[in-house]
């Protein structure tokens, strides 16, 4: 009776020491299963025998983590998003006052400013603005952000794709 009630009312739950596993949400359950699988593969030394196993496991963990998350701004993410949007539209990383107003409005629409303003702006000699951050990361992300917007997704998907690709590249090099 209690087991059926747990399954119907709250989903199955299990604890492994300090780790609590619950199946209330399918995406969270998939992420937790991927992490448990990765931990088991480390314990059984599967990774030492196969680079493909390492890559596949990390890819599954990344995909399930992405499915279980929502786009959000962290730290100076607004500045990187502004540069990325600008470059995705075919412009360079610097901008004039009109472009700054347009970017601010666009970021507010995306929910990336939340009533704040862009910071980290430096005036240039030609009366334009630049961010204090280097623009290479935004330039790499720009085509992927553009592609995500073309299919109706949040431009943050471009950042997610590039970050996942860099992480998988690092895992490939280290495995």
């Amino acid at each position: 009776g209690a087991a059926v009630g747990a399954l119907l009312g709250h989903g199955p739950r299990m604890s492994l020491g300090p780790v609590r596993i619950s199946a209330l949400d399918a995406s969270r359950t998939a992420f937790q299963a991927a992490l448990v699988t990765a931990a088991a593969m480390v314990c059984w030394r599967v990774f030492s025998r196969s680079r493909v196993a390492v890559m596949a496991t990390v890819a599954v963990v990344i995909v399930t983590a992405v499915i279980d998350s929502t786009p959000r701004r962290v730290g100076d993410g607004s500045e990187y998003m502004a540069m990325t949007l600008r470059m995705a539209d075919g412009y360079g990383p610097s901008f004039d006052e009109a472009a700054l107003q347009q970017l601010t409005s666009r970021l507010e629409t995306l929910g990336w400013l939340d009533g704040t303003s862009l910071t980290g702006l430096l005036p240039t000699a030609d009366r334009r603005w630049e961010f204090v951050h280097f623009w290479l990361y935004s330039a790499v992300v720009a085509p992927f952000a553009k592609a995500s917007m073309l299919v109706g997704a949040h431009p943050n998907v471009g950042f997610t794709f590039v970050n996942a690709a860099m992480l998988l590249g690092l895992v490939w090099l280290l495995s």
Side-chain angles (χ1 to χ4, degrees):
V4 172
L7 287 172
L8 295 176
H10 305 290
R13 295 176 187 206
M14 178 175 82
S15 294
L16 298 170
V19 178
R20 194 179 108 251
I21 298 175
S22 126
L24 298 174
D25 178 330
S27 62
R28 175 63 49 101
T29 303
F31 176 60
Q32 292 170 343
L35 289 176
V36 169
T37 301
M41 291 179 85
V42 167
C43 291
W44 290 319
R45 300 176 193 244
V46 172
F47 289 156
S48 64
R49 296 186 300 259
S50 172
R51 179 180 271 181
V52 173
V54 173
M55 295 298 293
T57 303
V58 172
V60 168
V61 169
I62 290 170
V63 168
T64 56
V66 168
I67 290 170
D68 189 45
S69 67
T70 56
R72 60 185 166 268
R73 175 183 50 86
V74 177
D76 50 8
S78 295
E79 290 86 22
Y80 285 102
M81 179 63 81
M83 287 189 290
T84 298
L85 293 173
R86 182 99 172 125
M87 291 180 193
D89 289 340
Y91 301 104
S94 66
F95 42 89
D96 60 18
E97 193 65 36
L100 175 61
Q101 296 306 318
Q102 182 185 32
L103 276 172
T104 301
S105 174
R106 199 164 168 194
L107 290 170
E108 286 172 351
T109 301
L110 290 171
W112 275 63
L113 285 183
D114 302 329
T116 62
S117 61
L118 289 171
T119 59
L121 292 167
L122 299 172
T124 65
D126 61 350
R127 301 168 81 114
R128 297 177 63 78
W129 295 97
E130 292 181 350
F131 288 105
V132 295
H133 306 292
F134 188 54
W135 49 263
L136 181 61
Y137 179 56
S138 293
V140 170
V141 173
F144 300 100
K146 181 72 167 185
S148 66
M149 291 183 290
L150 288 173
V151 298
H154 194 284
N156 200 40
V157 172
F159 284 91
T160 303
F161 180 82
V162 169
N163 290 342
M166 288 191 302
L167 181 58
L168 285 171
L170 178 64
V171 168
W172 179 262
L173 289 173
L174 296 177
S175 62

